[in-house]
Amino acid sequence: MSKFLRGNYKLANSEKLDHDVKEQEVSQIFESKALEKLGGSIAFVMKSSKFLWDEDEDSK
Amino acid sequence: MKILNEQQLKSISDATFKKTADIGLRHAQENSIYIKKTIRDLRKEIVNEPPKPVIVISAGPSLHRKKSIETIKKADFKGCIVAVDGSLGHCLRNGIVPDFVVTVDPDAHRIIRWFGDPRLSERPEDDYFQRQDLDPALNKDEVARNQELIDMVNYYGPQIKGIVSTSVTCEITQRCLDAGMNLYWWNPLYDDYESKDSLSKKLYRLNKVPCMVTGGNVGSSAWVFSHTILNAQDVLLVGMDFSYPPGTEVRNTQYYEILQELFPGKPEKGLIEVYNPHLKETWVTDPAYYWYSQIFIEMSQKSPCKTYNCTEGGILFGGNIEFVNLKEALFQVLQTEES
C-alpha cells in the first residue's frame, strides 16, 4: 500500500508555498528594478563627518 | 509600497550614482571653461564676517501652502537667504531676492526652466511643469510665465550669487551668466575620494573645484552649503517637504511617469505613506524623496549647525532636526542674534 501513497501526488499546501515563494522572488526582482529607475537628482556619499573635500586646501 | 529598508535605500543610492555620475562628469568637462571662482573663494571672501543665520528656501508644496515667504518678509530677518533653483521664481515673484541660488541636477531640459528658459519652444514635449507642485505658478500659461521668469531673473540676477555645481548643463551656466549672476562653482562628491579610481578625485584633479556632499538633491545641498561655506550656526528650512500633502493625486508627484510604467493602471502602489507625529498627519512620498529624508536625518547628526525644519509639512523630522513653526524659529534665532 505504501508504494501507492509515496510520491504519486503533491500536497496542495506545498504547491501554494512554491507559488508564494516565486511570487515573492518576482516581487523582489521587480522592486529592485523599480528602485533603480526611481533614483534621485545627484549622487550622494559621505565619509565620516566631512561635508567638504578640498585636497589641496586640506593638505596645507 | 512599504517604508524602505537599508538594502532598498542602498539600491536607490547606487541607481542615482549610475544615473548621474557619467553625465555629471561630462558636464563638468564642458563647464571647465566657465570656472573662474569656486566656493573656496567665497569662503575666503566672507571669512572675517560674523556668521549669520540662514534660511534655505526649498521648493516643496508647503512653501506655497504655508505662505512661508510672507512670514519671512514680515520678520526682521537679517541673515542670508539661500534659495534652490526650483524656488527662485516663487521668491522673486513674491518679493524676496535671495542672496544665493543653488543648482545641481544634471537634467538636460527641465532644470533650466527654473531660471526662465530662452529655448522653451525647442524642448521635447513635456507636461511636467503642468503637473508639478514645486512652482504651481508654472502650471498654466507656460509660455507667458516663462517669459515673466526670464525677465525677473535677468533683472535681479546681478544681485544673486549662483552656487553652481559642475554637474549642470552648460545651458544653465550660460543662462546664469547672461542674467548677470556671479558664479561660485562646486563639484558634487560622487564617491569615496580615497578609493582607487575615485571619480571625485579624478574630477577634482581636473578642475581643482572643492567637492561638497550633496544629500542627493538641491535642497539638501543648499543646507550643506549654508553650514559648510557660509559657516551658519542656525539654518532654517522652509519648503523642505520631501513628500506630498495628504490627498495628493499620484499624477502630481515627481515620478508619476515612471510609476505609471512600473505599476500600469495602479501607479499609486509606488508611493509610501509616512506618518508625521508633529503634524499628526500622514504624508505620501516616493522612494527617492524618502531616501533624501533619511540621508538628511543622517547628515544632521554629523553637522555642527542647529537645523530648524520650519516647513510645517512633510516627512523631515528626527535626528538633530528641530521640527518647529517658522514664526517661532525666527523669534528664537532673532533673540539669539540680539543677545
Side-chain angles (χ1 to χ4, degrees), chain B residues 65-66 245-246 274-284 312-315 317:
Chain B
R65 285 163 55 93
K66 296 294 173 183
V274 179
Y275 178 74
N276 182 329
H278 300 275
L279 302 167
K280 297 186 173 56
E281 286 176 349
T282 299
W283 284 56
V284 283
E312 300 174 23
I315 59 166
F317 54 87

Side-chain angles (χ1 to χ4, degrees), chain B residues 62-80:
Chain B
S62 294
L63 185 64
H64 317 275
R65 285 163 55 93
K66 296 294 173 183
K67 297 186 170 52
S68 311
I69 299 284
E70 289 307 310
T71 309
I72 295 167
K73 277 162 63 181
K74 282 180 196 157
D76 189 22
F77 182 72
K78 295 200 172 62
C80 283

Side-chain angles (χ1 to χ4, degrees), chain B residues 113 127-142 145 252:
Chain B
R113 284 290 292 276
D127 68 348
Y128 173 78
F129 288 90
Q130 291 157 24
R131 293 186 287 102
Q132 52 79 35
D133 59 355
L134 301 178
D135 191 350
L138 300 181
N139 292 157
K140 287 178 187 166
D141 301 328
E142 280 191 87
R145 285 302 193 163
N252 299 115

Side-chain angles (χ1 to χ4, degrees), chain B residues 211-270:
Chain B
C211 297
M212 194 168 77
V213 167
T214 66
N217 67 94
V218 67
S220 301
S221 300
W223 172 77
V224 174
F225 164 75
S226 300
H227 66 78
T228 306
I229 304 299
L230 300 181
N231 203 21
Q233 286 159 14
D234 294 296
V235 184
L236 285 68
L237 311 172
V238 296
M240 196 81 81
D241 296 273
F242 294 146
S243 57
Y244 313 97
T248 301
E249 295 281 327
V250 64
R251 186 181 176 280
N252 299 115
T253 64
Q254 287 288 306
Y255 291 84
Y256 172 64
E257 289 157 342
I258 299 170
L259 293 179
Q260 214 180 13
E261 192 187 309
L262 294 168
F263 305 93
K266 285 195 171 173
E268 63 280 2
K269 278 183 78 177

Side-chain angles (χ1 to χ4, degrees), chain B residues 94-255:
Chain B
N94 290 283
I96 282 194
V97 182
D99 300 285
F100 303 94
V101 62
V102 182
T103 186
V104 62
D105 194 316
D107 184 271
H109 299 293
R110 288 181 175 171
I111 304 304
I112 195 163
R113 284 290 292 276
W114 304 130
F115 298 90
D117 182 0
R119 291 181 53 222
L120 178 62
S121 59
E122 300 165 39
R123 300 287 169 199
E125 206 169 305
D126 185 2
D127 68 348
Y128 173 78
F129 288 90
Q130 291 157 24
R131 293 186 287 102
Q132 52 79 35
D133 59 355
L134 301 178
D135 191 350
L138 300 181
N139 292 157
K140 287 178 187 166
D141 301 328
E142 280 191 87
V143 175
R145 285 302 193 163
N146 182 57
Q147 188 55 51
E148 180 189 277
L149 192 51
I150 290 174
D151 295 341
M152 278 192 307
V153 172
N154 287 349
Y155 186 81
Y156 292 107
Q159 298 175 47
I160 303 168
K161 292 182 175 74
I163 307 302
V164 182
S165 162
T166 57
S167 53
V168 303
T169 62
C170 282
E171 271 194 306
I172 291 177
T173 307
Q174 199 56 59
R175 176 75 193 98
C176 292
L177 289 170
D178 288 347
M181 289 184 197
N182 203 356
L183 305 191
Y184 293 86
W185 290 90
W186 58 285
N187 285 325
L189 189 65
Y190 288 104
D191 57 5
D192 181 355
Y193 47 84
E194 285 181 342
S195 72
K196 198 181 162 224
D197 303 324
S198 161
L199 285 182
S200 305
K201 189 157 55 184
K202 185 180 159 193
L203 178 58
Y204 181 87
R205 290 184 178 171
L206 174 85
N207 63 16
K208 294 289 175 187
V209 173
C211 297
M212 194 168 77
V213 167
T214 66
N217 67 94
V218 67
S220 301
S221 300
W223 172 77
V224 174
F225 164 75
S226 300
H227 66 78
T228 306
I229 304 299
L230 300 181
N231 203 21
Q233 286 159 14
D234 294 296
V235 184
L236 285 68
L237 311 172
V238 296
M240 196 81 81
D241 296 273
F242 294 146
S243 57
Y244 313 97
T248 301
E249 295 281 327
V250 64
R251 186 181 176 280
N252 299 115
T253 64
Q254 287 288 306
Y255 291 84

Side-chain angles (χ1 to χ4, degrees), chain B residues 254-320:
Chain B
Q254 287 288 306
Y255 291 84
Y256 172 64
E257 289 157 342
I258 299 170
L259 293 179
Q260 214 180 13
E261 192 187 309
L262 294 168
F263 305 93
K266 285 195 171 173
E268 63 280 2
K269 278 183 78 177
L271 296 176
I272 303 163
E273 291 190 336
V274 179
Y275 178 74
N276 182 329
H278 300 275
L279 302 167
K280 297 186 173 56
E281 286 176 349
T282 299
W283 284 56
V284 283
T285 189
D286 41 45
Y289 273 17
Y290 184 74
W291 177 60
Y292 298 157
S293 70
Q294 297 307 294
I295 291 172
F296 200 112
I297 291 165
E298 185 191 327
M299 290 194 302
S300 76
Q301 289 163 323
K302 295 172 179 170
S303 132
C305 74
K306 183 160 185 188
T307 303
Y308 303 82
N309 184 3
C310 312
T311 300
E312 300 174 23
I315 59 166
L316 184 60
F317 54 87
N320 193 21

